[in-house]
Amino acid sequence: MGLFRRRPKLPPADRPPLAADERVLAWAAAGNGEGDGVLVASNRGLWLPGRGERLGWHDVLKAVWSGRELTVTPAEQVAERDGYLVVADAPAETYLLLDPGDLPHQVRARVTGSVAYTAHHPVPDGAGRIAARRVSGVDGLTWTVRYEPGTPVDDEAVVAETDRLVAEARAATRPADV
């Protein structure tokens, strides 16, 4: 007998409606196992209890594993600007995972792997983080800006500086042979 026990397969009743090219990487029951739901990590994103659709890896702003609880902070789109999206933290969702298996590792690896570029920059009267993320099934990068709380996001000077910073970051990450 090996040292590791084999994790049972995801029960069919808990399997989310996966896309044709999507596969389950890891899963874990949330709560005390009495119907609180199942979290499923796939190659395309994270399926969370109570959500009818997958949360793409590029839409996870932060995921924290405490050793018992997984807290996921999704991105919420605030505005669409020329060449990038402005996002903010949606309410964090916390799940107790008594038998997490490989789920926390997969979440960390997939969220981290979706980040192609990230940099924090000051802008007038505040600051923001510019990020380029890989989106499963989409060519190229998706650019986002997440401002720090209190930054006047609609101020003309903030928008102009953000536009400049995103254009500069895009130019710096563009392949030389394109």
Side-chain angles (χ1 to χ4, degrees):
M1 284 260 154
L3 295 174
F4 300 100
R5 67 180 172 92
R6 184 174 170 90
R7 186 162 179 84
K9 284 190 157 209
L10 177 65
D14 293 327
R15 191 174 179 83
L18 303 175
D21 63 342
E22 190 173 11
R23 67 188 188 289
V24 172
L25 303 173
W27 65 277
N32 59 12
E34 295 181 18
D36 288 343
V38 173
L39 287 77
V40 177
S42 79
N43 57 313
R44 304 280 305 269
L46 185 61
W47 294 87
L48 298 170
R51 287 180 173 251
E53 58 189 37
R54 160 190 355 97
L55 181 64
W57 296 119
H58 65 285
D59 288 324
V60 178
L61 289 178
K62 186 172 18 172
V64 178
W65 173 240
S66 73
R68 286 182 50 92
E69 293 181 329
L70 179 67
T71 301
V72 177
T73 304
E76 182 177 308
Q77 184 176 325
V78 175
E80 186 172 346
R81 296 194 181 142
D82 189 26
Y84 65 96
L85 303 173
V86 177
V87 298
D89 293 11
E93 301 174 31
T94 299
Y95 303 93
L96 175 65
L97 305 178
L98 298 179
D99 185 11
D102 199 33
L103 185 77
H105 168 74
Q106 285 294 334
V107 170
R108 180 181 177 93
R110 296 290 168 157
V111 171
T112 302
S114 75
V115 179
Y117 172 92
T118 182
H120 189 265
H121 295 280
V123 295
D125 297 320
R129 178 162 300 281
I130 297 171
R133 308 281 298 263
R134 295 175 191 90
V135 179
S136 180
V138 176
D139 285 337
L141 300 173
T142 298
W143 290 85
T144 61
V145 173
R146 180 180 165 269
Y147 293 107
E148 288 185 359
T151 302
V153 300
D154 293 325
D155 180 84
E156 285 183 33
V158 171
V159 172
E161 179 63 2
T162 304
D163 288 349
R164 185 189 73 74
L165 290 167
V166 170
E168 189 177 273
R170 290 174 75 111
T173 58
R174 188 171 295 120
D177 61 348
V178 175

